[in-house]
Structure formats: structure tokens, C-alpha cells
């Protein structure tokens, strides 16, 4: 076996298909979001504007969050010192879990190092807790959910994206007595569409199934206190397990589930991904708790973000650009070619100082490559003007088609 040749071939295949991923070496500037310093491959630095970040509300630079992190850092030091079971549970972790349980009006919350780990760990352990469990998973669920279901080694069925009629067919085909769990998302981040939460909950009630929802792209963003789409729609009490992140709207790091006290206790007691992982640094937990607490009281940030997304969609559509239909805060623009998608991204960065990462396979299906913009309250009118003008010019230069103008 020529190991180096295998690695060369694997990497060459990515280059040939135009989907080799390049890390951008940037340093965000506290107090100046969405500005950042980009260290170019030649060693020079340049100021750029980040248009693809997941810090949707700019909370990563909020003074309340920074102060909480600094205070906890000086009190508790840098790291947690262990796993949650071995010295890694601090007052800061318990405070964060209390804030999250309150946010979702659940009995308990359990914090993980990331939402990916929270999804993978929880979904993979549930078949151990409920022998014979059958998981029904939306076909566009996040990779972390897919991995969790796969590692659970239980019977699974994939239902067509947001197709509740297909979900019903699958449920009807199952033995009424087997335990069942329906796993889906509230917002699918690549297309920006919403999951049919109420309809799924109705089916779960009818067929005696548990419900598991990923609200990663919705927590902090929707609902009167930022509890997500389920809170906005008055459905949190009908969801058995809610997964969320602290690394997007909350601007920090970490993931969690919110559920019943018994469910949280069972997951923490059986899930290897929780048991054997060093816990979040206390300062990060403190900052996350401060962010969750802050956004419970600051609806204006959500309103400003929604308005920015609405305006950007409208302006790009007015240019005939193929903005994918979405009612959420995510603005995906279809390119449908991996090479041109990367070329457009590269030229936006080099010529206009605009950083938006190309989204290619396997994150999205082949032929649906896109640029995914995430406007925020810290993207002002001048910044948006620059983006729209740059997209207009480069779309033409990259020989990409436009949609027919309406009216």
C-alpha cells in the first residue's frame, strides 16, 4: 500500500471537482463586527467583511458577554479541569443549564462541548435507553443527527424532507407497540426553510412517538425570549427533546439538550460523548449563560436581524439573482456549479473584501452549490450596499445566469 499516493488521490479528487476546502485565516475585531483581519497566503493582512458567520446577532462582541467571560476567567481560571463527572462540573455549568432549562420551559438541560456532540451523543444513546427503538429521520437532517442515528444501530426510516404524508405512511407501517422517535429540525440551514413542527407533533401524539428537534439555527433568533421556532409557535411543551447551540446566535461555544429531568439524567449517565469529554471552560459557560439571559430580554436584535435578511433578499432578487426561497433569516443564493461557486467566492474576497464561503457537496447535493449569506444587526446599510454592488458585477463577470425580471 502506497499510503501517500492514496492521500494524494483523495485530495486531487476534491481539487478536480472544485470542492477542496480552504481555511480562511481571519481575526475578528472585537467591537468592529462584522469586520475582520484576513491574513493572506502571501503574509499580508487586509480588512474584510464577514458575510457567512453564524454569530447571527453579534453577541460574540456584546460587552455583557465579554464581561461575564472575563470575570469567570479570573475566578476559575482557564480550563474546567476534567469531565463533568470528574471535577468538571462547576457553578458556571449549573447556572448555564438552569438558564437553558428556563429558556425552553423544560425540567432540565444538559450542556455538551458542541451541538454536534449533543446530537450525536443523545441520538446514539436513545436506542440503549429504549430497546427496539425505531428512529424516523428527515432526509435533510444535519450530519450530526445522521451520525447519531447511525451509531445508535437501531432500525431507522428516512422520510422525505418536510413530507408529513410520507412520515405518516412510515409510522403506519410500524408495529404500534415499538418505541418510536421522530427526529427533525426547525430550520434547515442550507435552504433556510422551516420544519412542520405542529404537524410532526400531531403525528407523534397519534402514534405514541417521541419528538426530537434540532433548533440550532433558531435558538436566540425566534420566539419572544429566543427559545426558537417551537417557542414562537407555542409548541415547546410538545417537544420531548430540544437540541440547541451556544455557538451561533449566542455567540460563544457549546451545545445542549433541554428535556425532562429523567431524560437528561439518563443521557448524562449513559452517553459516552458526554461522560468521556472534558467539559466547557467555566468562562465559556459563564459567557454563554450571560448571552442566553441577555437575549431573553432583547427582542430588538431579533427584529433588526430579520429586517436585514428581508432587505438583502429583496435587493438580490431585484438584480435577478437566484435567491433560494426562504422565510428564515438565512439568504442562500444558488450558483449550481462548484467551480464557479468557488470562483465567485474567491473574487468577492480578493476584489471586494467580502468573505462568504462557498457551500459545495457534500454539505449540499451536487448541482445545488450556493453562497450562503447571514446578514446581522451589525451589517449596516453601507456594508450591504457594497455587497449588492459587488454581487451584481461579479455575477456578470463569472457568466452566471439571472432569473427573468418580474413586472
Amino acid at each position: 500500500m502506497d499510503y501517500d499516493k492514496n492521500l494524494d488521490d483523495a485530495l486531487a479528487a476534491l481539487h478536480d471537482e472544485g470542492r477542496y476546502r480552504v481555511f480562511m485565516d481571519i481575526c475578528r475585531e472585537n467591537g468592529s463586527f462584522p469586520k475582520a483581519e484576513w491574513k493572506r497566503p502571501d503574509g499580508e493582512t487586509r480588512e474584510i467583511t464577514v458575510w457567512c458567520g453564524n454569530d447571527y446577532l453579534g453577541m460574540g462582541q456584546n460587552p455583557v458577554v465579554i464581561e461575564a467571560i472575563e470575570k469567570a476567567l479570573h475566578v476559575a481560571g482557564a480550563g474546567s479541569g476534567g469531565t463533568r463527572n470528574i471535577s468538571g462540573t462547576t457553578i458556571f455549568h449549573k447556572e448555564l443549564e438552569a438558564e437553558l432549562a428556563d429558556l425552553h420551559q423544560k425540567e432540565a438541560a444538559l450542556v455538551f462541548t458542541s451541538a454536534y456532540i449533543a446530537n450525536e451523543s443523545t441520538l446514539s444513546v436513545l436506542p440503549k435507553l429504549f430497546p427496539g427503538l425505531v428512529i424516523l429521520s428527515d432526509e435533510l437532517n444535519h450530519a450530526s443527527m445522521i451520525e447519531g442515528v447511525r451509531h445508535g444501530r437501531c432500525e431507522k426510516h428516512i422520510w422525505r424532507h418536510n413530507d408529513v404524508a410520507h412520515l405518516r405512511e412510515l409510522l403506519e407501517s410500524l408495529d404500534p407497540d415499538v418505541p418510536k422517535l421522530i427526529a427533525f429540525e426547525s430550520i434547515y440551514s442550507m435552504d433556510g426553510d422551516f420544519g412542520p413542527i405542529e404537524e410532526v407533533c400531531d403525528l407523534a401524539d397519534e402514534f405514541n412517538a417521541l419528538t426530537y428537534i434540532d433548533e440550532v439555527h433558531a435558538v436566540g433568533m425566534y420566539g419572544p425570549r429566543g427559545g426558537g421556532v417551537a417557542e414562537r409557535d407555542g409548541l415547546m411543551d410538545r417537544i420531548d427533546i430540544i437540541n440547541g447551540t451556544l455557538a451561533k446566535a449566542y455567540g460563544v461555544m457549546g451545545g445542549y439538550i433541554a428535556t425532562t429531568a429523567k431524560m437528561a439524567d439518563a443521557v448524562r449517565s449513559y452517553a459516552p460523548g458526554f461522560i468521556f469529554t472534558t467539559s466547557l471552560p467555566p468562562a465559556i459557560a459563564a459567557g454563554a449563560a450571560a448571552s442566553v439571559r441577555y437575549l431573553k430580554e432583547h427582542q430588538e436584535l431579533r427584529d433588526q436581524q430579520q429586517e436585514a435578511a428581508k432587505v438583502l433578499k429583496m435587493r438580490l432578487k431585484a438584480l435577478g439573482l437566484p435567491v433560494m426561497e426562504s422565510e428564515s433569516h438565512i439568504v442562500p443564493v444558488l450558483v449550481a456549479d462548484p467551480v464557479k461557486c468557488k470562483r465567485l467566492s474567491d473574487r468577492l474576497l480578493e476584489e471586494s473584501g467580502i468573505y462568504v464561503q462557498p457551500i459545495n457537496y457534500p454539505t449540499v447535493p451536487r448541482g445545488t452549490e450556493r453562497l450562503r449569506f447571514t446578514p446581522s444587526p451589525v451589517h449596516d446599510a453601507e456594508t450591504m450596499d457594497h455587497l449588492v454592488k459587488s454581487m451584481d458585477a461579479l455575477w456578470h463577470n463569472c457568466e452566471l445566469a439571472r432569473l427573468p425580471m418580474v413586472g
Side-chain angles (χ1 to χ4, degrees):
M1 169 66 70
D2 186 339
Y3 295 103
D4 283 342
K5 184 179 184 303
N6 276 47
L7 295 176
D8 289 339
D9 291 346
L11 293 171
L14 296 178
H15 282 287
D16 292 343
E17 295 176 27
R19 59 187 185 93
Y20 179 78
R21 304 184 187 203
V22 179
F23 286 156
M24 296 299 302
D25 189 356
I26 68 171
C27 180
R28 297 204 299 167
E29 302 173 7
N30 181 29
S32 300
F33 292 6
K35 301 297 181 183
E37 287 290 329
W38 169 41
K39 186 175 181 180
R40 296 164 50 94
D42 60 11
E44 294 185 6
T45 59
R46 178 182 176 186
E47 184 179 82
I48 61 171
T49 301
V50 178
W51 272 100
C52 57
N54 288 333
D55 186 354
Y56 293 134
L57 302 178
M59 290 300 292
Q61 67 176 357
N62 187 291
V64 171
V65 176
I66 300 298
E67 181 181 1
I69 291 174
E70 289 178 340
K71 182 178 179 181
L73 180 64
H74 289 292
V75 169
S80 68
T83 65
R84 289 292 299 273
N85 291 319
I86 305 176
S87 80
T89 296
T90 71
I91 58 172
F92 302 103
H93 296 86
K94 299 302 291 184
E95 177 189 15
L96 173 56
E97 288 174 339
E99 286 288 351
L100 293 168
D102 172 75
L103 174 67
H104 294 290
Q105 296 299 287
K106 296 295 186 186
E107 294 177 347
L110 195 63
V111 170
F112 295 75
T113 52
S114 73
Y116 188 107
I117 298 299
N119 267 336
E120 195 280 331
S121 297
T122 304
L123 286 168
S124 66
V125 80
L126 290 176
K128 298 177 183 177
L129 301 175
F130 305 103
L133 180 69
V134 177
I135 296 181
L136 301 103
S137 178
D138 186 285
E139 68 176 333
L140 293 189
N141 277 344
H142 189 265
S144 58
M145 301 175 76
I146 294 171
E147 286 301 301
V149 174
R150 181 178 296 144
H151 292 161
R153 298 180 180 179
C154 65
E155 181 180 344
K156 66 178 184 293
H157 296 273
I158 310 302
W159 48 291
R160 291 188 293 270
H161 178 54
N162 280 352
D163 188 340
V164 291
H166 186 221
L167 176 59
R168 170 179 285 279
E169 290 176 13
L170 293 173
L171 287 165
E172 289 175 340
S173 71
L174 299 175
D175 183 337
D177 294 327
V178 302
K180 296 169 281 288
L181 179 137
I182 305 171
F184 64 115
E185 299 184 34
S186 63
I187 296 178
Y188 292 84
S189 64
M190 290 301 113
D191 292 349
D193 57 336
F194 291 92
I197 302 177
E198 185 170 16
E199 293 92 333
V200 170
C201 290
D202 289 343
L203 286 175
D205 290 344
E206 181 179 347
F207 290 92
N208 190 29
L210 295 170
T211 49
Y212 185 106
I213 192 168
D214 180 313
E215 289 254 41
V216 160
H217 289 273
V219 291
M221 302 293 294
Y222 296 85
R225 298 200 308 157
V229 180
E231 183 194 30
R232 182 198 69 179
D233 297 346
L235 299 168
M236 285 196 301
D237 62 316
R238 301 185 66 186
I239 303 292
D240 294 295
I241 304 174
I242 297 173
N243 169 274
T245 187
L246 303 164
K248 292 182 171 58
Y250 294 116
V252 192
M253 177 187 175
Y256 64 89
I257 59 169
T259 183
T260 63
K262 283 184 180 179
M263 185 74 78
D265 194 21
V267 171
R268 78 168 187 89
S269 299
Y270 281 89
F274 180 85
I275 296 170
F276 298 106
T277 299
T278 298
S279 65
L280 285 177
I284 296 298
S291 187
V292 173
R293 191 160 48 244
Y294 184 91
L295 285 179
K296 288 176 182 177
E297 306 292 336
H298 288 269
Q299 177 64 32
E300 74 278 3
L301 288 179
R302 287 184 278 277
D303 293 340
Q304 291 166 15
Q305 198 284 331
Q306 289 288 327
E307 180 64 19
K310 178 182 177 181
V311 170
L312 181 58
K313 291 175 187 177
M314 178 182 66
R315 294 189 63 181
L316 293 177
K317 285 181 178 180
L319 296 174
L321 302 193
V323 177
M324 301 173 69
E325 289 302 320
S326 159
E327 297 180 2
S328 74
H329 59 282
I330 294 167
V331 185
V333 179
L334 185 66
V335 179
D337 182 296
V339 175
K340 289 186 176 181
C341 192
K342 187 171 189 313
R343 183 191 309 159
L344 184 57
S345 171
D346 289 345
R347 291 189 63 179
L348 282 168
L349 184 63
E350 289 283 354
E351 299 174 23
S352 301
I354 291 169
Y355 174 36
V356 55
Q357 189 73 10
I359 307 295
N360 292 338
Y361 178 84
T363 306
V364 295
R366 298 179 195 274
T368 68
E369 294 82 8
R370 68 202 66 176
L371 298 180
R372 175 181 173 276
F373 297 95
T374 52
S376 75
V378 296
H379 289 90
D380 59 24
E382 181 180 355
T383 302
M384 188 178 294
D385 285 343
H386 180 56
L387 170 65
V388 172
K389 291 175 182 176
S390 298
M391 282 288 288
D392 188 19
L394 287 174
W395 200 264
H396 172 75
N397 291 340
C398 289
E399 300 179 334
L400 291 164
R402 298 183 191 243
L403 297 176
M405 302 303 291
V406 178

